[in-house]
Amino acid sequence: MAYDVHQLLAMSQTELDDLFRASPAGDIPDGGAEGTAIIAPGTKYTHSIASIINHFGWQGKVFDAQKGSLKNKVLPFGIEAVVARVYKDDSWFDGKECIVLDYSDTSVLAHYIRDEIRLIGPGFYLGKVYWGKERLIDFCLQF
């Protein structure tokens, strides 16, 4: 099944977790992706929160697959900042392979952040954000 951002924003946390669990890691992406934060999934607030974050905080990520790195697009102008290492490893969520976005050695600001992504459709990834080992939110990336 092909997914879009609006479908993901309408899903419950359980549905997002099941989709992540059922999806392959896919290839490490390359190039720019539009990002959408998924907070309070399946509630009437999800779309509004995603829109606010997208306009003022985080717009997505720019991957360099050859270097195994990425930069986040942040602030209203989409400044490329907050670098992460990118590699495949076992997911903290379910122990299966995922693509890890690791900020521990590359960012003072996001030192405790780890993202995990999996491919849910052509050029479309679902991700989970961790602070330390605690899962915070979900997000998606569209290439």
Side-chain angles (χ1 to χ4, degrees):
M1 176 180 176
Y3 294 94
D4 63 32
V5 173
H6 293 292
Q7 287 172 306
L8 295 183
L9 291 174
M11 288 182 174
S12 69
Q13 187 63 62
T14 300
E15 291 170 321
L16 290 169
D17 291 347
D18 289 345
L19 178 57
F20 188 83
R21 193 177 286 111
S23 299
D27 292 331
I28 292 176
D30 195 43
E34 292 182 27
T36 302
I38 305 172
I39 300 172
T43 70
K44 66 181 182 178
Y45 305 107
T46 307
H47 286 275
S48 297
I49 294 169
S51 179
I52 290 168
I53 289 172
N54 197 252
H55 283 88
F56 299 107
W58 175 72
Q59 292 83 37
K61 300 179 185 290
V62 179
F63 286 78
D64 185 331
Q66 189 171 13
K67 290 183 180 177
S69 66
L70 69 76
K71 291 181 181 177
N72 283 274
K73 295 187 286 186
V74 296
L75 302 173
F77 306 108
I79 296 168
E80 293 182 17
V82 192
V83 176
R85 289 185 309 122
V86 181
Y87 54 88
K88 289 188 175 184
D89 200 355
D90 293 338
S91 170
W92 289 351
F93 181 72
D94 61 8
K96 294 189 250 178
E97 185 180 60
C98 70
I99 298 168
V100 174
L101 318 179
D102 182 353
Y103 299 88
S104 64
D105 295 327
T106 58
S107 174
V108 173
L109 179 66
H111 177 77
Y112 295 105
I113 300 294
R114 170 185 163 119
D115 298 339
E116 299 180 351
I117 61 173
R118 287 193 178 141
L119 186 67
I120 60 170
F124 198 34
Y125 290 79
L126 175 61
K128 301 208 170 289
V129 178
Y130 292 86
W131 176 277
K133 289 263 187 174
E134 186 175 334
R135 193 168 56 140
L136 295 180
I137 65 168
D138 292 84
F139 66 96
C140 62
L141 296 169
Q142 258 186 315
F143 287 83

